[in-house]
Amino acid sequence: MNEQLLMKTASDMVKKGKGILAADESTPTIGKRFSQIAVESTFESRNEYRDMLFTADKMEEYISGVIMYDETLRQSTTSNDKTPFTKLLSDKNVLPGIKVDTGAKNLAGAPNEKITEGLDGLRERLVEYYEMGARFAKWRAVITIGDSIPSDHCIVANAHGLARYASLCQESNIVPIVEPEILMDGEHNIDTCYEVTNKTLDCVFDVLKLHNVMLEGIVLKPNMVISGMECDQQANVDTVSEMTVNALKENVPSEVPGIAFLSGGQSSDDATLHLNSMNKNNVSLPWNLTFSYGRALQADALIGWGGENREKGQEAFLNRAKNNGLASMGML
Ligand code: 13P
C-alpha cells in the first residue's frame, strides 16, 4: 500500500473548486433515466451519452474525477480515434473512478432493509481496475428510515461492508469513496434524519478504524441532513446546511481530507444551494466540502441531449458543474 499516493489521490479528488461527476449508473438505472427522455438504452447509446459528458470542453475546470460503471470504464470515445475513456480523462487530469459494489439486496433478518453486496472477488477486480487506470472506487450502502428502522443490525452490517471494501481498495492503491446513504424517501422530519445520520456516521468511523483503514486516504460521501421527501415541513437551506455540518463535526475525524456529498433526489438547484451555504458559513472546517452528484449534475444534461443534441447536453452539464464548483468554495 502506497500511503503517499493514496493521500495525494484523495486530496486531488476534493480540491477546492472541483468535485466529482457520478456517472456510474448501472445498466438498469441508466435505462430508467433514458426511458424518461424516450431514448433506447443500448451499448451504443450509453457510450454516446457518456462520451457527450466526458468530452465537454473544459469540464476539467470543475470536475476532479468521474465515477464509472464497469461497462463505461471499458468504453472509448465515439470519434474516429476511439480513445479509451480512462485515457481521455487522465490526459485532462480528471481521475477515473469505478463503482465496485454489486448493489443493495434485501438484508436477511431485517424486513425492509438493505445490505450492499460485492465483496466476493473484489481483491482481484481491484487489481484489474487499477491496471485499467482507475484510481478511486465507490461503494454505496443504503439506510432506510421507516417504522422502527433503521435497525442497529442494518447499520452495523453495512458499516462492516464499507470497511472491508475500503481496506481492500487501499491495499490496491485505490482510494475508497465511503458512501453511507440515508435515503430521503419517507415522511420523517429533519431531526430524524439528523439522528440517523449521526448514528450511522459514528458506527461507520468506528468500524473503519477497527479495520485499520487509513482515514487520510478515503473520501466520505454522505447524504445531507434533510427533511424526508414526503414530510409536510421542509427545512430551509440554512437549516439543512447547519444540521449537516453539525453531524459531520460530531463524527468525521479531521484526518479525512474531504467530504463529497451525494444529491440523493434533491432538485439540482437545492443540491447546489445547500453545498454553497455550508461552504459560505463555515470557513475553517478540517475537511473540504464538495459534490459527487449524479442526478443533480446530469438531469438537465439528459434533457438537453435527448439522444442527439450533444451541444445542448454539454452546455447544461457544464453550467451545473460550474455552479457546483463555485458552491464548493461558497462563492455563489
Ligand atoms: P445522486 O447524486 O443522484 O444521489 O448519485 C450519487 C451517487 O453516486 C449515488 O450512489
Side-chain angles (χ1 to χ4, degrees):
M1 165 169 142
N2 181 337
E3 295 188 0
Q4 295 306 320
L5 176 62
L6 288 167
M7 286 193 263
K8 170 149 181 15
T9 303
S11 67
D12 284 350
M13 286 163 69
V14 295
K15 231 181 213 161
K16 276 275 157 227
K18 294 189 185 189
I20 297 165
L21 165 65
D24 59 321
E25 297 84 1
S26 63
T27 303
T29 302
I30 198 73
K32 278 186 226 153
R33 305 268 191 270
F34 280 12
S35 72
Q36 289 160 353
I37 53 165
V39 170
E40 193 190 349
S41 174
T42 61
F43 181 89
E44 289 75 23
S45 64
R46 294 190 292 273
N47 199 157
E48 172 56 24
Y49 173 66
R50 267 67 181 248
D51 181 275
M52 182 275 293
L53 293 175
F54 303 167
T55 60
D57 192 33
K58 300 200 173 67
M59 57 86 99
E60 62 274 21
E61 288 182 7
Y62 324 109
I63 301 294
S64 58
V66 175
I67 320 175
M68 289 174 273
Y69 187 57
D70 182 274
E71 176 185 271
T72 317
L73 192 80
R74 299 171 195 278
Q75 285 179 327
S76 303
T77 54
T78 52
S79 55
N80 287 341
D81 56 10
K82 300 262 175 290
T83 307
F85 282 150
T86 48
K87 177 166 166 36
L88 172 86
L89 294 170
S90 313
D91 286 352
K92 301 207 256 194
N93 251 339
V94 175
L95 291 156
I98 177 75
K99 168 197 177 79
V100 299
D101 67 68
T102 55
K105 310 284 159 60
N106 291 337
L107 175 61
N112 304 319
E113 297 194 284
K114 301 282 183 197
I115 181 70
T116 301
E117 295 189 347
L119 288 171
D120 288 354
L122 181 56
R123 173 174 273 135
E124 292 73 23
R125 287 196 286 137
L126 288 165
V127 170
E128 187 198 1
Y129 287 143
Y130 187 92
E131 278 168 7
M132 290 174 71
R135 291 296 173 266
F136 71 95
K138 178 189 116 170
W139 177 288
R140 171 176 176 257
V142 179
I143 307 289
T144 312
I145 297 180
D147 269 351
S148 309
I149 58 171
S151 63
D152 290 351
H153 166 198
C154 173
I155 292 175
V156 172
N158 276 290
H160 177 261
L162 281 166
R164 287 212 41 214
Y165 140 82
S167 54
L168 281 165
C169 284
Q170 291 190 335
E171 187 186 86
S172 280
N173 295 321
I174 288 183
V175 167
I177 290 186
V178 173
E179 180 178 0
E181 174 173 5
I182 319 297
L183 294 179
M184 284 174 72
D185 305 297
E187 294 176 359
H188 57 273
N189 63 19
I190 191 167
D191 295 321
T192 305
C193 181
Y194 180 83
E195 263 172 53
V196 174
T197 303
N198 236 339
K199 190 170 178 180
T200 302
L201 290 176
D202 181 42
C203 177
V204 165
F205 281 100
D206 275 355
V207 184
L208 288 175
K209 281 182 208 156
L210 188 70
H211 288 237
N212 298 322
V213 174
M214 185 185 69
L215 297 181
E216 294 85 349
I218 73 163
V219 169
L220 177 69
K221 176 163 173 168
N223 54 284
M224 294 181 194
V225 174
I226 202 162
S227 318
M229 246 180 288
E230 289 92 44
C231 179
D232 294 338
Q233 282 178 320
Q234 291 291 314
N236 63 26
V237 172
D238 286 342
T239 309
V240 169
S241 147
E242 191 182 332
M243 291 178 76
T244 303
V245 171
N246 285 345
L248 299 175
K249 281 183 180 163
E250 289 263 329
N251 299 292
V252 184
S254 58
E255 292 92 325
V256 174
I259 294 171
F261 293 99
L262 59 93
S263 58
Q266 302 178 51
S267 72
S268 304
D269 285 343
D270 281 353
T272 306
L273 292 174
H274 289 147
L275 179 63
N276 188 60
S277 171
M278 283 186 249
N279 279 305
K280 198 173 212 146
N281 297 326
N282 298 278
V283 281
S284 57
L285 295 170
W287 354 261
N288 283 348
L289 298 185
T290 188
F291 58 92
S292 174
Y293 294 159
R295 284 162 284 181
L297 276 174
Q298 294 183 57
D300 295 351
L302 259 173
I303 293 169
W305 174 65
E308 54 191 19
N309 194 334
R310 291 175 62 91
E311 287 72 28
K312 231 171 148 192
Q314 290 181 331
E315 193 186 323
F317 166 53
L318 289 171
N319 181 41
R320 288 291 173 192
K322 181 176 180 187
N323 279 328
N324 283 303
L326 290 169
S328 78
M329 299 183 287
M331 282 172 56
L332 268 185

